[in-house]
């Protein structure tokens, strides 16, 4: 996640008011931007000394897709957590979003570090088998989550045929006939439908 969002001038007062409506004990913590993506903005909340050492992450949807994603996560993550070999966010609550559409979420920060690609290389982590195996085990566990249950929890279905069908038709009709006979290639086949949590969790 990188920071590429502009917050309104009064973002902090809005956020503190929203927190006060749900968890008054969180209103006195220190807030700072943590990161932003295409669909949400994240803030870090550090409580004063003596109020507990675990920071919280607050995520605020930037658009309707982000709002739908957080709603999906709220339903999916509690069940998905029991299937995964690594800790994942566990929502403390969701509440009306003071900065945009839908609801924002609050959860204790997941233990660990966020590393840049350069830091992965600097530490030699890509040369060690253990991190790669853990990532592979996580992907396998996500794919193993029951597809039917994912649908019931609101995970959207992604059909690549519907998304890319028009492009493939245009390719067959206009691009392939225009190729020279020496460079002609076979038309690509349509991809098959895919419905798994792995294909949709990045959207949540």
């Amino acid at each position: 996640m990188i920071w590429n969002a502009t917050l309104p001038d009064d973002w902090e007062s809005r956020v503190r008011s929203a927190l006060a409506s749900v968890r008054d004990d969180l209103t006195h913590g220190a807030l700072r931007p943590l990161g932003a993506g295409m669909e949400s903005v994240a803030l870090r909340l550090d409580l004063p000394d003596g109020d507990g050492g675990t920071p919280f992450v607050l995520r605020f949807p930037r658009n309707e897709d982000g709002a739908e994603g957080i709603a999906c996560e709220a339903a999916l993550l509690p069940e998905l957590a029991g299937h995964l070999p690594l800790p994942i966010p566990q929502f403390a609550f969701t509440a009306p979003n003071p900065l945009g559409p839908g609801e924002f979420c609050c959860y204790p920060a997941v233990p660990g570090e966020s590393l840049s690609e350069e830091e992965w290389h600097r530490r030699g982590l890509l040369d060690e088998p253990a991190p790669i195996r853990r990532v592979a085990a996580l992907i396998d566990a996500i794919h193993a989550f029951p597809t039917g249950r994912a649908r019931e929890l609101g995970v959207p279905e992604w059909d690549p045929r519907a998304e890319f069908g028009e492009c493939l038709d245009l390719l067959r009709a206009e691009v392939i006939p225009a190729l020279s006979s020496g460079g002609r290639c076979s038309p690509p086949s349509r991809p098959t439908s895919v419905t798994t949590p792995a294909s949709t969790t990045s959207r949540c």
Side-chain angles (χ1 to χ4, degrees):
M1 181 179 283
I2 61 174
W3 187 257
N4 62 353
T6 301
L7 292 171
D9 293 339
D10 60 345
W11 68 267
E12 187 168 351
S13 62
R14 291 195 205 177
V15 169
R16 293 192 186 280
S17 295
L19 289 172
S21 68
V22 186
R23 288 274 303 268
D24 187 63
D25 59 310
L26 299 181
T27 58
H28 303 296
L31 288 167
R32 64 178 175 87
L34 183 61
M38 295 180 63
E39 298 181 353
S40 64
V41 172
L43 304 178
R44 176 177 168 129
L45 173 66
D46 291 291
L47 298 178
D49 293 340
D51 289 350
T54 302
F56 286 84
V57 174
L58 312 175
R59 280 182 36 229
F60 301 85
R62 299 177 64 180
N63 49 44
E64 292 298 335
D65 286 342
E68 292 175 5
I70 285 180
C72 173
E73 289 181 35
L76 175 66
L77 292 183
E79 292 198 26
L80 189 60
H83 292 260
L84 302 184
L86 297 175
I88 62 174
Q90 297 292 296
F91 289 3
F93 62 84
T94 60
N97 180 10
L99 304 179
E103 295 192 326
F104 77 98
C105 62
C106 173
Y107 54 87
V110 176
E113 298 179 80
S114 295
L115 302 181
S116 65
E117 182 179 349
E118 292 77 12
E119 187 64 16
W120 275 78
H121 286 286
R122 191 188 71 79
R123 298 189 187 185
L125 295 175
L126 297 178
D127 300 321
E128 297 290 333
I132 297 173
R133 286 172 181 157
R134 294 191 74 182
V135 172
L138 177 63
I139 294 173
D140 285 343
I142 293 173
H143 278 283
F145 189 82
T147 301
R149 183 56 181 155
R151 288 197 191 99
E152 292 173 359
L153 293 171
V155 175
E157 183 172 354
W158 177 50
D159 185 354
R161 291 176 299 181
E163 186 166 343
F164 301 113
E166 291 184 5
C167 294
L168 290 173
D169 291 340
L170 181 64
L171 181 67
R172 291 190 181 97
E174 298 185 17
V175 177
I176 292 176
L179 294 175
S180 63
S181 58
R184 192 179 300 276
C185 59
S186 300
S189 59
R190 288 176 177 263
T192 57
S193 177
V194 177
T195 308
T196 69
S199 69
T200 56
T201 49
S202 62
R203 297 182 59 190
C204 295

